[in-house]
């Protein structure tokens, strides 16, 4: 048995906040420590988005692995950047839905 629970960082588009909350709940009840994106009640400024984006990369640093919540296979620009960062830092990345391949 590990000395601490697994830590998973959830990534995904803010349009999927309800889905991310459901994944957070399910993982938490499974004994996983979940690190999730920050939430805002309304629009954020460009400066606030920059702070949130940088903070989320630090959350990825804390995690053992990354789980991308991507209903319909959607992965946006910010999430793609987070996936690239995860790969660059050696974090395993998985997805809740298949990602369409382009040929």
């Amino acid at each position: 048995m590990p000395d601490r629970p697994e830590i998973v960082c959830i990534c995904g588009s803010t349009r999927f906040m309800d889905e991310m909350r459901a994944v957070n709940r399910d993982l938490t009840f499974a004994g996983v420590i979940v690190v999730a994106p920050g939430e805002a009640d309304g629009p954020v400024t460009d400066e606030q988005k920059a702070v949130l984006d940088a903070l989320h990369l630090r959350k990825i640093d804390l995690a053992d692995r990354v789980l991308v919540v991507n209903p319909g296979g959607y992965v946006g620009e910010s999430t793609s950047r987070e996936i690239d960062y995860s790969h660059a830092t050696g974090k395993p990345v998985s997805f809740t839905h298949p990602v369409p391949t382009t040929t």
Side-chain angles (χ1 to χ4, degrees):
M1 175 147 186
D3 58 348
R4 67 163 173 78
E6 179 183 36
I7 301 171
V8 174
C9 183
I10 296 175
C11 296
S13 171
T14 55
R15 71 178 73 172
F16 302 130
M17 286 310 296
D18 289 341
E19 291 87 345
M20 286 191 273
R21 285 186 203 105
V23 168
N24 187 334
R25 180 193 62 237
D26 293 346
L27 288 171
T28 299
F29 283 131
V32 174
I33 296 171
V34 178
V35 185
E39 294 190 49
D41 291 335
V44 296
T45 66
D46 290 342
E47 293 82 12
Q48 289 170 324
K49 180 167 179 7
V51 168
L52 291 174
D53 288 349
L55 184 61
H56 202 70
L57 296 181
R58 300 295 75 79
K59 291 177 180 182
I60 291 169
D61 290 338
L62 295 172
D64 297 315
R65 68 180 175 97
V66 170
L67 177 60
V68 178
V69 177
N70 64 322
Y74 177 81
V75 174
E77 185 178 320
S78 291
T79 303
S80 291
R81 211 171 21 256
E82 293 164 355
I83 292 167
D84 291 343
Y85 181 83
S86 300
H87 287 294
T89 58
K91 302 291 177 170
V93 178
S94 58
F95 299 83
T96 58
H97 295 80
V99 178
T101 57
T102 55
T103 54

